[in-house]
Amino acid sequence: MSVVPYPDWIRPPAEGYTAEDLDRLPDLPPHTELLDGSLIFVSPQTLFHMRTLRRLERALEAAVPDGWQVWREMTIRLNLRNRPEPDLTVVNENADTGPEGTYCEAQDVLLAVEIVSTESRERDREVKPRKYAAAGIAHFWRVESDEEGHAIVHTYELDPATRLYGLTGIHHKQLKLDRPFPVDIDLT
């Protein structure tokens, strides 16, 4: 029986990985994120996650104003050691780096959306919002499932004085907002 060697990236450098390493490391699993210099591997999606992602993506595509694009599952370079991958991102259209681009810069992001799963609960509720706010991303939505499998959307806006998010609403059946742009989404 032959032994399959581990990839070199399984042993991180002492100082951790950098945002640029995500594009250089061979054979990383799909949707690998970088948080605090550590590689984070994402678990398989649930049916709730896939359906909610599709619904929100379609609604955002229909509502996003001129000059902005909706990106699905692309990373944001927050700084040298952090490149998380939100489920959806509303990005300035000038941030498009072409067909080989793999990320955008934080200053080009208007909205980051995370759909919480059991595996990512702490990252999506605590770690990522704190990092998005520190990077100056103006709006953040956290999406969770209720007992019946319906989406609940928690919306946040950045307070520029504190660089922290303030809760602007918890939406159970309808997500109707004026900011960051008008949107009306049936969550049922």
Side-chain angles (χ1 to χ4, degrees):
M1 181 166 83
S2 65
V3 177
V4 177
Y6 289 110
D8 289 337
W9 51 258
I10 203 88
R11 292 175 196 85
E15 65 280 2
Y17 288 109
T18 67
E20 287 70 28
D21 289 332
L22 279 185
D23 294 325
R24 292 192 289 254
L25 296 171
D27 303 319
L28 283 176
H31 308 292
T32 300
E33 299 180 280
L34 182 72
L35 293 175
D36 297 322
S38 295
L39 299 174
I40 306 294
F41 308 117
V42 180
S43 294
Q45 287 187 2
T46 63
L47 197 53
F48 167 79
H49 189 281
M50 183 271 302
R51 287 178 175 156
T52 303
L53 179 61
R54 186 182 323 142
R55 178 177 298 230
L56 291 176
E57 181 180 25
R58 288 177 181 161
L60 287 173
E61 285 282 353
V64 71
D66 288 342
W68 297 92
Q69 302 175 359
V70 178
W71 287 10
R72 179 182 182 148
E73 300 169 328
M74 294 286 287
T75 59
I76 303 170
R77 186 182 192 282
L78 302 180
N79 55 41
L80 179 67
R81 299 172 55 75
N82 289 282
R83 227 174 100 182
E85 183 183 299
D87 292 297
L88 294 168
T89 313
V90 175
V91 179
N92 185 309
E93 69 182 8
N94 294 325
D96 189 332
T97 57
E100 298 301 314
T102 60
Y103 66 91
C104 65
E105 299 289 342
Q107 69 263 17
D108 294 319
V109 177
L110 176 62
L111 168 67
V113 180
E114 294 287 357
I115 301 170
V116 177
S117 65
T118 303
E119 172 272 330
S120 69
R121 188 173 288 133
E122 185 175 345
R123 286 192 309 275
D124 292 345
R125 287 180 177 172
E126 298 173 28
V127 176
K128 288 182 177 183
R130 188 175 64 248
K131 291 183 179 298
Y132 295 152
I137 296 173
H139 298 270
F140 173 69
W141 296 355
R142 189 184 80 236
V143 185
E144 307 229 11
S145 175
D146 68 12
E147 298 79 30
E148 289 82 39
H150 296 116
I152 301 170
V153 181
H154 303 251
T155 57
Y156 300 86
E157 187 167 349
L158 185 66
D159 178 341
T162 63
R163 295 197 56 104
L164 299 171
Y165 285 125
L167 181 67
T168 59
I170 301 174
H171 308 268
H172 291 268
K173 294 184 179 185
Q174 195 77 18
L175 175 61
K176 188 168 184 169
L177 302 170
D178 293 328
R179 295 179 49 81
F181 46 84
V183 66
D184 189 354
I185 304 170
D186 179 2
L187 298 174
T188 62

